[in-house]
């Protein structure tokens, strides 16, 4: 990471010489490179900042500005997010497209393989987590700069998105995935009551908490898009993110999670839509893991995070989706 | 998925050479870029290598068992992961659900080889959720 890019840009913004201290890359954030550092000015001004920028290769091709606009949309609201500072869609400021935000002090995230990352605070954090999701879904997509969408298009647009990714990246027969997609195509869900802001990767591991029961920030908005709120809910409640607990996100019983979401969103769970989106969540996961594996196989990346995605989550979702097919 | 072992091993070697080693050389220096990432990279790479080793040890037996289970339904097409998956996929697409138990069993065996806790259903008093 070229610290001189950061120092040059911040010096111009602050109007005084700025030095960069403690620049370190986080291990996490598969679709972005994430760094934290302290910016220290000659006057003594000091800020702890986080940079997210595009890597040469990532799990998911995403819109540079969309993530930043979504964070801007919720900054200062009841949905906790990091404070956004600046986005550059070119390489000038950060060496590659990316954006800057203030560090969320004292935050910790749950790891995928941690058995009980939230401990005694699971229920309290879960209540805030699913309430925040409802608040996101209650917001106007136009406020986040998202394009308009007809409710009838929401489900098949997402299915088409993942089908296209699968066509691009598949490298071996995937009968379970193909059968699930055929079911999704043949059994479209009812359209949502309204189009919502869909975070796109709302799950355990993509938020920070303070270790004492308080949700600090919802992170990783790079897959934000307009759509059906059931999409986020189904992804957040997928067993992959439950830490083997049987609880939604490893935090709340499913009915309690849905009740929190309904109360905050003003929406009601539609059982037919829920059934469809839970299958779609597993299809989405599998396609992401296949794309990750393809990056490695083709030699475009040597990031172990992508190797991990192509092995453990891949097998998890192949198994859960195969079992799900047996219930359809 | 059969782990693409040569690709994985090459990728791990490249990761260690290109990301971890330079960063580790910088460890101990407060300004070291990527030092935190190096730790995570090394840990993940080590896990991948362990998986690759387990795959090399147990994969052939699993493959043989899956082929033997599928042979009564698929005949010679049961041999080899891709042939078997393609044949089972054709049956499923044609509405023949006898393929499904074979696919589930194979997915269960592949997941069990990871040595991780089994998937647990996320359930509650909500109707309509299959997963």
């Amino acid at each position: 990471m070229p610290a001189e890019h950061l120092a040059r840009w911040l010096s111009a913004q602050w109007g005084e010489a700025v030095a960069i201290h403690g620049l370190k890359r986080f291990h996490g954030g598969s679709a972005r490179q994430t760094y934290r550092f302290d910016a220290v000015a000659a006057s003594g001004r000091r800020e702890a900042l986080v940079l997210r920028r595009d890597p040469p290769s990532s799990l998911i091709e995403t819109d540079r500005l969309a993530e930043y606009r979504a964070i801007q949309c919720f900054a200062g609201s009841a949905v906790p997010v990091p404070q956004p500072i600046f986005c550059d869609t070119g390489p000038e400021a950060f060496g590659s497209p990316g954006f800057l935000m203030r560090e969320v002090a004292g935050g910790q995230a749950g790891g995928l393989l941690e058995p009980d990352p939230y401990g005694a605070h699971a229920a309290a954090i879960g209540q805030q987590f699913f309430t925040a999701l409802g608040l996101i879904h209650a917001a106007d997509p136009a406020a986040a700069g998202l394009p308009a969408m007809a409710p009838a298009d929401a489900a098949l647009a997402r299915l088409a998105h993942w089908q296209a990714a699968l066509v691009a990246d598949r490298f071996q027969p995937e009968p379970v995935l193909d059968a699930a997609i055929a079911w999704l195509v043949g059994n479209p869900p009812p359209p949502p009551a309204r189009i919502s802001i869909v975070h796109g990767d709302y799950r355990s591991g993509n938020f920070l908490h303070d270790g004492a029961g308080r949700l600090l920030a919802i992170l990783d908005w790079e897959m934000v898009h307009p759509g059906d709120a059931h999409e986020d809910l189904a992804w957040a409640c997928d067993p992959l993110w439950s830490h083997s607990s049987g609880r939604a996100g490893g935090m709340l019983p499913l009915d309690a999670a849905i009740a929190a979401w309904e109360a905050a969103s003003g929406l009601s769970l539609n059982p037919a839509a829920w059934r469809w989106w839970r299958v779609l969540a597993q299809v989405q996961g599998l396609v992401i893991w296949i794309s990750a594996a393809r990056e490695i196989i083709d030699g475009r990346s040597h990031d172990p995070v992508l190797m991990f995605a192509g092995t453990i989550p891949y097998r998890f979702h192949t198994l859960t989706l195969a079992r799900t097919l047996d219930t359809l | 998925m059969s782990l693409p072992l040569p690709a994985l091993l090459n990728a791990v070697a490249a990761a260690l050479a290109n990301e971890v080693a330079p960063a580790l050389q910088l460890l101990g220096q407060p300004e070291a870029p990527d030092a935190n990432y190096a730790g995570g990279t090394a840990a993940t790479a080590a896990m991948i290598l362990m998986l690759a080793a387990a795959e090399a040890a147990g994969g052939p037996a699993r493959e043989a068992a899956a082929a033997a289970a599928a042979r009564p339904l698929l005949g010679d097409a049961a041999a080899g992961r891709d042939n078997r998956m393609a044949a089972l996929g054709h049956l499923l697409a044609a509405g023949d659900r006898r393929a499904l138990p074979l696919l589930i069993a194979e997915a269960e065996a592949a997941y069990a080889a990871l040595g991780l806790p089994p998937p647990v259903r996320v359930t509650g008093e909500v109707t309509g959720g299959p997963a």
Side-chain angles (χ1 to χ4, degrees), chain A residues 161-229:
Chain A
H161 174 84
W162 294 116
Q163 283 180 290
L166 178 61
V167 167
D169 291 334
R170 71 185 303 157
F171 56 90
Q172 61 182 7
E174 299 286 354
V176 170
L177 189 49
D178 290 338
I181 289 172
W183 184 86
L184 291 167
V185 169
N187 298 274
R194 62 170 186 259
I195 290 296
S196 300
I197 297 173
V198 174
H199 177 283
D201 196 10
Y202 199 90
R203 61 172 174 82
S204 175
N206 272 350
F207 66 85
L208 297 175
H209 64 98
D210 68 355
R214 192 161 67 93
L215 181 69
L216 295 178
I218 304 297
L219 306 175
D220 292 347
W221 293 76
E222 66 261 33
M223 292 170 69
V224 67
H225 57 272
D228 186 332

Side-chain angles (χ1 to χ4, degrees), chain B residues 41-71:
Chain B
T41 300
T44 310
M47 183 166 59
I48 294 295
L49 285 172
M50 286 190 285
L51 286 176
E55 192 72 8
R62 232 180 34 247
E63 165 59 27
R71 191 156 287 116

